[in-house]
Amino acid sequence: MTARPIAVVGASAAGLAAAETLRRSGWRGPLTLIGEEPHLPYDRPPLSKQLLHGAWEPEKLRLRTEEQLAPLDLDLRLGTRATGLDVATRTLTLDGTERLACAGIIIATGVAARTLPGADRLTGVHTLRTLDDALALRGRLTHGGTPAGEGVAGGGGTRQLVIVGNGVLGCEAAAVARELGHEVTVVGIEETPMAAAVGTDVGTLLAEEHRARGVRLVTGAVDGFDTTPAGPADGPGPQVTAVRLADGGTPGSRLPADTVLVAIGSRPAVDWLTDPALDTTDGLRCDAYCAAAPGIYAAGDVARWDHPAHGRPLRFEHRMNATEQGMAAARNLLAELAADGPTGTEDGTPAQERRPFAPVPYFWSDQYDLKIQAYGLTAGADRVETPVRDRAGRRILALYGREGRAVGVLAAGLPPRQIRALRAVVADPLPWEEARERIAAATAAG
């Protein structure tokens, strides 16, 4: 009888971390890594920064080469979609037809970019989630839409880029486009960029930075696009010429554009998970051990799990969390399988108990030469204070609270030692006043 594999669905940072941890923790049975994209696992944060700018080529984003993956002895299925899962039998459906019965499954399918109605049929309108997305947008910004080829050097001049969405991704892309010399307009429903993620004070600092660099910031909702028939050098669909704003912004106004980036957020990639045994409300619901069902775990952007320190289900779209949760899910799955009976681990490998996953969230954003770093939870705070706010010096420190406790802290422009010291303040949510005192001590010590 052929041993059943452990399957990891999703071949990005969380999935790769899970696969490597399974092997490192003693799993010697079959191991299948399934990725919808055709590319080897790669890092996503540089897509909107170094890759989009042209400073890095795709090879530099690879998390592992083929040679580095070889010792894992993977059944590597790139360019393969998981289209179904039977929870009771732990059986995956791949590409609509193949059935793969598994000993255990880790779901790390991430998120998909949201878009606007009809946008996918237009030339010049982009989203930015995958490597192919980033390369397509970079081609517009680098070559000005003029194909580089025989007798053509490429570089068609300045673009009129409109970015729909003023969250983290939209702001990072705006910074890159301005550094490349393009005209950039950012339109968002909220007046302050990134306000939902970092609050008004930090968002205001970012807004001032973008305006100082020549970015136009517009408040309003997008109603649609103006187009013209595509030319021979354009794509198959009509070419975008403007972004229309709905009433409530600047009524009837149009923002001229030959390139548009739709950066209005993402949705967890759970559409393929239709088994009623799973809760897919805002991601795949898991317990504190990252388990969604017996033998089925989740990690990364797709997972919404019970965070022990915060006492509620959370879902993070942060790079560090993807790796850490992939490792935790792998260890906990192996512990469950070992408790249930013989597994494919090496003889003599001691069974370990499952452990709750309780990370201190961390994220960063690079915009121009400004680096923003945050620990804990900054979104959804009911109280925000900024004990350091030096706009001229481009320095800020913000403390975020929820229900009387400090849950997050963010800094920009502070010495690295001070920023690292802030992590301890929110590792285990402290009472608000105690956290304020520790923030004051940490910043005074620098």
Side-chain angles (χ1 to χ4, degrees):
M1 179 178 177
T2 304
R4 289 188 172 195
I6 290 179
V8 180
V9 186
S12 194
L16 176 64
E20 291 184 329
T21 301
L22 287 167
R23 287 300 193 215
R24 192 162 52 244
S25 299
W27 177 257
R28 293 297 175 262
L31 180 55
T32 301
L33 180 60
I34 301 160
E36 184 172 355
E37 296 182 61
H39 310 291
L40 290 171
Y42 63 86
D43 214 9
R44 293 189 189 275
L47 294 178
S48 60
K49 307 177 186 74
Q50 295 94 335
L51 186 95
L52 187 60
H53 198 290
W56 288 10
E57 291 304 316
E59 292 74 18
K60 195 166 184 178
L61 274 64
R62 284 183 187 160
L63 294 171
R64 301 291 183 270
T65 64
E66 290 185 2
E67 293 74 18
Q68 291 169 327
L69 290 175
L72 297 178
D73 191 23
L74 295 172
D75 174 16
L76 184 59
R77 309 280 196 96
L78 298 179
T80 301
R81 292 182 63 235
T83 53
L85 170 60
D86 183 281
V87 171
T89 63
R90 302 179 195 173
T91 299
L92 288 165
T93 302
L94 305 179
D95 286 332
T97 57
E98 180 185 356
R99 301 292 189 271
L100 182 65
C102 302
I105 297 168
I106 297 176
I107 296 169
T109 46
V111 296
R114 296 184 184 276
T115 188
L116 294 170
D120 58 345
R121 299 191 297 270
L122 303 181
T123 297
V125 179
H126 299 258
T127 55
L128 182 48
R129 172 62 188 170
T130 68
L131 175 59
D132 291 342
D133 292 340
L135 290 174
L137 180 57
R138 185 172 82 167
R140 299 280 298 188
L141 299 180
T142 302
H143 302 303
T146 303
E150 186 175 350
V152 180
T158 301
R159 282 289 186 193
Q160 290 181 305
L161 172 66
V162 172
I163 299 175
V164 183
N166 60 2
V168 177
L169 177 62
C171 288
E172 288 181 349
V176 169
R178 277 303 298 148
E179 288 176 341
L180 293 174
H182 300 290
E183 298 178 13
V184 180
T185 299
V186 177
V187 55
I189 296 176
E190 299 295 332
E191 181 178 358
T192 306
M194 289 178 56
V198 300
T200 302
D201 282 347
V202 177
T204 298
L205 175 70
L206 293 172
E208 292 174 353
E209 185 72 17
H210 281 285
R211 288 193 181 101
R213 304 280 186 154
V215 175
R216 180 188 179 196
L217 302 179
V218 175
T219 304
V222 171
D223 187 44
F225 304 97
D226 289 349
T227 62
T228 190
D234 295 320
Q239 167 65 47
V240 67
T241 59
V243 174
R244 296 196 307 270
L245 297 184
D247 291 349
T250 304
S253 66
R254 285 166 165 76
L255 305 175
D258 53 34
T259 305
V260 175
L261 171 61
V262 180
I264 56 174
S266 59
R267 53 179 177 79
V270 294
D271 292 350
W272 63 285
L273 297 171
T274 58
D275 192 310
L278 300 175
D279 179 356
T280 57
T281 305
D282 187 31
L284 181 54
R285 183 74 162 84
C286 302
D287 62 17
Y289 304 97
C290 308
I296 298 172
Y297 287 69
D301 297 358
V302 74
R304 184 169 68 96
W305 88 104
D306 294 330
H307 194 295
H310 293 281
R312 58 191 177 101
L314 298 173
R315 187 174 68 83
F316 299 141
E317 296 182 24
H318 303 328
R319 173 64 178 84
M320 293 299 294
N321 183 73
T323 294
E324 293 174 355
Q325 194 165 25
M327 296 167 64
R331 289 191 291 261
N332 285 339
L333 171 60
L334 286 183
E336 178 186 328
L337 296 179
D340 289 345
T343 68
T345 57
E346 290 181 320
D347 292 341
T349 301
Q352 297 183 358
E353 292 186 357
R354 298 193 308 164
R355 296 181 180 178
F357 180 57
V360 179
Y362 170 76
F363 84 90
W364 76 95
S365 178
D366 296 318
Q367 299 176 36
Y368 309 106
D369 56 353
L370 188 66
K371 189 176 191 70
I372 302 160
Q373 299 182 74
Y375 293 103
L377 309 181
T378 58
D382 56 30
R383 185 174 185 179
V384 182
E385 287 188 7
T386 51
V388 176
R389 181 167 42 182
D390 176 8
R391 290 178 178 172
R394 302 163 74 237
R395 299 167 62 247
I396 195 163
L397 171 63
L399 181 65
Y400 301 80
R402 183 184 175 96
E403 298 177 352
R405 291 186 172 270
V407 296
V409 62
L410 176 149
L414 299 185
R417 189 172 71 173
Q418 286 187 353
I419 293 176
R420 288 192 297 270
L422 299 176
R423 182 185 185 278
V425 177
V426 294
D428 188 14
L430 296 173
W432 182 258
E433 292 303 326
E434 182 180 348
R436 292 181 69 202
E437 293 174 0
R438 293 183 62 173
I439 286 285
T443 53

